[in-house]
Amino acid sequence: RQTDAAGVVLPYPVVEGALTFTPVRGQEGWEATVCVKCHAFDVAGDAERCAMFHGNTCRYVSRAGDTLLTLSRAFHRDNNWRRLYNLNSLAASANQELPPGAVVLTGAAYEVQPGDSLSNIAARFHTTLRSILELNPSLGDAGIIGEGAMLCLAPCTSMGVPTLDAKYAY
């Protein structure tokens, strides 16, 4: 340990760092824990600090160049940008660039109930099995779900009418 000129032991210097996590497509609902071990040469033992990162279901943080249309194509594989417009309070048109860092809802979160299957969930929310699988890549091709799992759902809005879409969003 370091001491001052009078021999008084000085406190350890504060070391600060930042951990950031930016989930990519496919990590929705995904969790990761990162642990860091700290060691001081003149102290016995190590200190461990852990941080948990969580990718929220149905949320995306916009990046430079994102528009409602490009996000609709990425998440829903269609051009129906009004679906995202209805879910969010963003004052943006189809091709207007979103501000970087804006949180964009890509669907509505739904907790799987006992007895639910992807087919009956799709029917109940007027959407398709394909849409559920595309919005929830963590399900994989098998599409196996368990009670309590969180799904991202996007009810179909095939015929968007701008004056009614915002008022009656689903």
Side-chain angles (χ1 to χ4, degrees):
R1 297 213 35 187
Q2 295 179 348
T3 57
D4 64 11
V8 176
V9 176
L10 298 173
Y12 284 110
V14 175
V15 178
E16 292 185 14
L19 289 173
T20 58
F21 173 67
T22 305
V24 295
R25 182 81 174 105
Q27 292 180 323
E28 297 86 351
W30 181 76
E31 292 182 348
T33 301
V34 176
C35 295
V36 178
K37 283 191 176 184
C38 306
H39 178 77
F41 293 105
D42 57 349
V43 175
D46 293 330
E48 184 175 80
R49 298 291 181 258
C50 297
M52 178 180 262
F53 295 96
H54 179 77
N56 289 329
T57 302
C58 299
R59 283 179 173 65
Y60 171 80
V61 178
S62 65
R63 297 178 178 157
D66 284 340
T67 67
L68 291 177
L69 184 59
T70 61
L71 293 181
S72 182
R73 289 175 177 164
F75 286 93
H76 301 283
R77 295 188 185 173
D78 64 28
N79 293 324
N80 188 2
W81 62 273
R82 286 188 181 99
R83 180 184 294 131
L84 295 177
Y85 178 82
N86 288 340
L87 286 167
N88 296 277
S89 59
L90 301 168
S93 61
N95 291 312
Q96 183 179 351
E97 198 169 308
L98 300 171
V103 176
V104 179
L105 296 175
T106 58
Y110 172 75
E111 184 175 348
V112 176
Q113 302 300 308
D116 273 349
S117 70
L118 290 180
S119 298
N120 70 19
I121 293 170
R124 186 178 325 134
F125 290 97
H126 305 286
T127 189
T128 64
L129 187 56
R130 175 183 165 231
S131 174
I132 292 174
L133 291 172
E134 286 176 354
L135 277 174
N136 299 278
S138 61
L139 292 176
D141 292 335
I144 298 171
I145 57 170
E147 180 182 334
M150 293 303 291
L151 293 179
C152 189
L153 302 177
C156 291
T157 55
S158 59
M159 297 179 59
V161 180
T163 56
L164 296 177
D165 282 352
K167 188 173 181 182
Y168 304 104
Y170 297 123

